[in-house]
């Protein structure tokens, strides 16, 4: 394979619709890399990206992605059907959670499948929403210093200026991806632990409340109201209902008579004395 000719880095012009589709594809697979190709044309040193085709059936890994034979068959099928007069002007892929750069694996793909001087590599991180572009300059892959995002109606949205970043070793990328995955798992564990703590606190308070109610019920004195049947005429309780029935008037009178002293023997009743005196007269 011959290296690209020396020259200036390509100038990129990309449609807002293409950028939107790339972001949507990457966000739908937030923990694994995705890939696809860029469709457009090369005009006087300017690479114009007008469409993209997602890489179906690509070999996905935590920190790398590979175009398989099935992926290329799908890409060319869509291209021949929908974009017969356009060219493949580059490719895109995502870096979920570890920034915008080209790893050694990415560089290998670009050198072997996108070696034309005007072909570029678009990289997007769905976690930070950072995006950047890489292209050939003097036979080496470098980050494109400037690219233009153009809206589908022809109006220019913005110029983006970036600084070039060197390629990174794949092992470093794998380590960063594993840390990112562990971070996601830690956040999920923390949420679950917080929910468990809330549920435990609620049940603890309910248990204390119920226990306190039972202690109050059994330990504090309670007033018991018991209905007692009464006589409708006298208003007194019916005999036999209470333990000590009320005393009757006749019984009270008998008790009072019993407490009076009795006449001693040899003494006469004053009434009898008067009666005797009358007879004597």
């Amino acid at each position: 394979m011959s290296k690209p000719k020396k020259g200036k880095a390509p100038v990129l012009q990309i449609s807002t619709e293409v950028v939107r589709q790339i972001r949507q594809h990457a966000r739908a697979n937030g923990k694994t890399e995705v890939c696809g190709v860029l469709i457009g044309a090369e005009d006087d040193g300017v690479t114009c990206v007008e469409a993209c085709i997602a890489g179906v059936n690509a070999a996905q890994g935590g920190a790398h992605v590979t175009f398989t034979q099935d992926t290329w068959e799908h890409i060319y099928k869509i291209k021949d059907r929908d974009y017969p007069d356009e060219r493949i002007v580059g490719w895109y892929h995502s870096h979920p959670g570890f920034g915008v750069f080209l790893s050694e694996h990415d560089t290998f793909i670009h050198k072997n499948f996108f070696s034309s001087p005007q072909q570029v590599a678009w990289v997007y991180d769905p976690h930070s929403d950072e995006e950047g572009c890489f292209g050939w300059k003097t036979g080496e892959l470098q980050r494109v210093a400037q690219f233009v995002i153009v809206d589908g109606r022809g109006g220019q949205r913005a110029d983006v200026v970036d600084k070039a970043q060197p390629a990174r070793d794949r092992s470093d990328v794998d380590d960063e991806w594993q840390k990112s995955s562990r971070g996601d798992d830690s956040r999920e564990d923390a949420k679950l632990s917080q929910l468990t703590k809330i549920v435990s606190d609620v049940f603890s308070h309910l248990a204390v409340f119920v226990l306190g109610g039972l202690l109050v019920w059994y330990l504090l004195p309670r007033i018991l109201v018991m209905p007692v049947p009464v006589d409708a005429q006298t208003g007194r309780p019916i005999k036999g209902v209470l333990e000590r029935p009320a005393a009757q008037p006749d019984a009270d009178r008998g008790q009072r008579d019993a407490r009076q002293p009795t006449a001693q023997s040899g003494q006469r009743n004053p009434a009898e004395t008067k009666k005797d005196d009358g007879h004597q007269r």
Side-chain angles (χ1 to χ4, degrees), residues 242-267:
L242 299 178
E243 294 181 0
R244 298 180 61 185
Q248 299 297 327
D250 295 339
D252 294 339
R253 188 179 300 110
Q255 291 178 1
R256 287 196 301 268
D257 294 342
R259 287 195 296 268
Q260 293 181 356
T262 58
Q264 297 180 358
S265 61
Q267 292 182 353

Side-chain angles (χ1 to χ4, degrees), residues 1-268:
M1 181 196 70
S2 60
K3 285 188 176 182
K5 296 180 181 179
K6 294 183 179 181
K8 296 181 179 180
V11 177
L12 178 67
Q13 180 175 299
I14 186 169
S15 163
T16 55
E17 178 61 20
V18 175
V19 174
R20 185 193 68 80
Q21 292 179 13
I22 293 174
R23 292 173 179 173
Q24 184 177 10
H25 187 195
R27 289 168 181 167
N29 299 268
K31 292 186 177 181
T32 56
E33 287 194 16
V34 298
C35 66
V37 298
L38 305 175
I39 304 296
E42 301 169 3
D43 184 14
D44 195 19
V46 178
T47 301
C48 300
V49 180
E50 301 171 357
C52 64
I53 302 175
V56 178
N57 298 325
Q60 296 174 327
H64 66 273
V65 66
T66 302
F67 289 84
T68 64
Q69 183 65 31
D70 292 339
T71 306
W72 283 116
E73 289 178 0
H74 170 77
I75 288 173
Y76 280 109
K77 178 181 178 180
I78 300 299
K79 180 188 175 302
D80 293 340
R81 184 190 68 190
D82 299 337
Y83 313 104
D85 299 327
E86 305 294 335
R87 294 184 55 190
I88 295 178
V89 295
W91 67 299
Y92 72 86
H93 68 288
S94 64
H95 278 180
F98 40 88
V100 174
F101 61 94
L102 288 183
S103 65
E104 291 186 356
H105 182 74
D106 301 333
T107 302
F108 172 83
I109 291 177
H110 199 85
K111 287 182 177 180
N112 285 272
F113 300 101
F114 306 95
S115 58
S116 172
Q118 298 299 318
Q119 288 184 318
V120 297
W122 184 273
V123 184
Y124 173 65
D125 185 345
H127 291 190
S128 64
D129 273 340
E130 183 185 2
E131 52 199 357
C133 183
F134 297 82
W136 292 106
K137 182 179 180 180
T138 63
E140 298 295 333
L141 274 174
Q142 296 184 14
R143 191 162 184 172
V144 175
Q146 182 179 6
F147 59 85
V148 180
I149 300 178
V150 179
D151 133 338
R153 294 166 293 185
Q156 178 175 310
R157 189 184 78 175
D159 290 345
V160 181
V161 179
D162 294 310
K163 295 181 181 180
Q165 295 184 1
R168 298 169 64 179
D169 185 76
R170 177 179 170 181
S171 60
D172 296 336
V173 178
D174 290 337
D175 292 341
E176 290 184 5
W177 179 82
Q178 292 176 359
K179 291 178 181 178
S180 176
S181 300
R182 287 195 297 269
D184 294 339
D185 294 339
S186 299
R187 285 190 292 271
E188 292 177 359
D189 292 341
K191 291 180 180 179
L192 182 59
S193 176
Q194 184 178 7
L195 180 60
T196 303
K197 183 178 182 301
I198 293 174
V199 174
S200 176
D201 291 342
V202 170
F203 279 100
S204 297
H205 284 80
L206 287 176
V208 171
F209 180 77
V210 173
L211 182 60
L214 293 175
L215 290 175
V216 169
W217 175 259
Y218 282 105
L219 297 182
L220 294 184
R222 301 186 299 277
I223 299 176
L224 298 179
V225 179
M226 297 180 61
V228 178
V230 297
D231 192 318
Q233 294 180 354
T234 63
R236 295 176 178 274
I238 298 176
K239 186 178 180 181
V241 175
L242 299 178
E243 294 181 0
R244 298 180 61 185
Q248 299 297 327
D250 295 339
D252 294 339
R253 188 179 300 110
Q255 291 178 1
R256 287 196 301 268
D257 294 342
R259 287 195 296 268
Q260 293 181 356
T262 58
Q264 297 180 358
S265 61
Q267 292 182 353
R268 300 179 64 183

